[in-house]
Amino acid sequence: MKIFLDTAEVGQIIDGYKTGLIDGVTTNPTLILRSGRQQSDVIEEIFEACPNLESISAEVVANTAEEMVEQAQPYIDLSSNVTIKVPCTREGLKACYELSNDDVLTNVTLVFSVAQAILAAKAGATYVSPFVGRVDDNSFGGLCLVKDIANTYKMHSVETQILAASIRNVRDVGRAFEYGANVCTLPVKVFDKMYDHILTEKGLELFDKDYAAACKS
């Protein structure tokens, strides 16, 4: 089970990295825009501050496969653990195929069906990203999509890893892993909430109270 942080805020990424619990980072154009910085600067700073991450994603935005591959090159040159995110489109999958053949890590994003996940695997994707929350928004099960992709991949011994994205609550983290996700990428607020449980808090209160009483006696 791997946990990625879904953010472009480098300070938050460093904090997560220091816990030893974070395996990678995903970004996208929206997160980069919110950061107020250039994607290249963000990716480079993450790499320098967190060199042992399995994957640091950089998303390309272009109309043709050739443009996507060209846009990816500066990020590829930074480090072998940079993952190039491409959309699950005809051109995006062509770019994925070319990059994967050059041993570049790839993530096919914006996946909403098993058929798309099959094409991503055929294109050699390292990761495929079904969007759990967005599928739920459209009245069919995001977690069921993760499960269906996992079952299909298992049946055919597919090596592409399922990276569950657009996860909005802690419960869905557990269910995504239960249903076969290899990775969950999480907003920082969801990752932080994974530590919390009311019974843990109550148990700590009781232990603290009993410890203080034992010390007095």
Side-chain angles (χ1 to χ4, degrees):
M1 296 181 294
K2 302 171 189 175
I3 295 175
F4 290 4
L5 285 184
D6 192 35
T7 180
E9 297 295 336
V10 178
Q12 294 178 336
I13 294 166
I14 293 172
D15 288 344
Y17 181 72
K18 289 179 179 178
T19 68
L21 304 175
I22 300 302
D23 302 285
V25 174
T26 55
T27 64
N28 59 46
T30 302
L31 294 173
I32 294 293
L33 178 63
R34 288 176 188 167
S35 75
R37 304 179 62 195
Q38 294 296 316
Q39 179 168 251
S40 57
D41 294 336
V42 172
I43 300 303
E44 186 169 6
E45 187 173 347
I46 295 170
F47 169 69
E48 291 176 352
C50 311
N52 295 322
L53 290 175
E54 172 184 308
S55 170
I56 303 169
S57 77
E59 186 160 347
V60 293
V61 181
N63 293 322
T64 68
E66 291 77 11
E67 290 171 327
M68 292 180 196
V69 172
E70 181 180 356
Q71 200 177 110
Q73 195 58 54
Y75 304 115
I76 296 168
D77 292 340
L78 281 176
S79 169
S80 61
N81 65 350
V82 169
T83 298
I84 303 303
K85 287 178 70 176
V86 298
C88 193
T89 61
R90 186 181 297 270
E91 292 299 308
L93 292 174
K94 285 169 64 178
C96 177
Y97 181 78
E98 183 173 340
L99 291 166
S100 297
N101 281 342
D102 288 335
D103 295 322
V104 175
L105 301 177
T106 53
N107 178 2
V108 175
T109 189
L110 293 171
V111 168
F112 297 96
S113 71
V114 176
Q116 289 180 314
I118 291 168
L119 293 178
K122 292 284 289 179
T126 311
Y127 307 98
V128 60
S129 291
F131 274 43
V132 173
R134 292 198 199 180
V135 170
D136 289 340
D137 290 343
N138 286 274
S139 301
F140 61 107
L143 290 170
C144 289
L145 174 59
V146 170
K147 187 175 184 178
D148 291 344
I149 294 171
N151 287 339
T152 302
Y153 280 6
K154 183 178 180 180
M155 185 180 300
H156 297 278
S157 302
V158 173
E159 295 182 0
T160 298
Q161 297 182 56
I162 300 168
L163 193 161
S166 185
I167 291 181
R168 298 169 181 169
N169 60 74
V170 171
R171 181 179 180 274
D172 283 355
V173 178
R175 296 298 295 276
F177 282 126
E178 177 188 350
Y179 284 178
N182 305 100
V183 187
C184 285
T185 187
L186 310 175
V188 174
K189 64 180 181 181
V190 174
F191 172 70
D192 288 343
K193 287 180 180 177
M194 288 180 70
Y195 290 96
D196 300 333
H197 195 286
I198 185 63
L199 295 180
T200 303
E201 295 173 8
K202 293 294 184 183
L204 286 173
E205 289 176 9
L206 177 61
F207 290 160
D208 288 344
K209 180 180 176 182
D210 290 346
Y211 179 77
C215 288
K216 288 180 181 179
S217 62

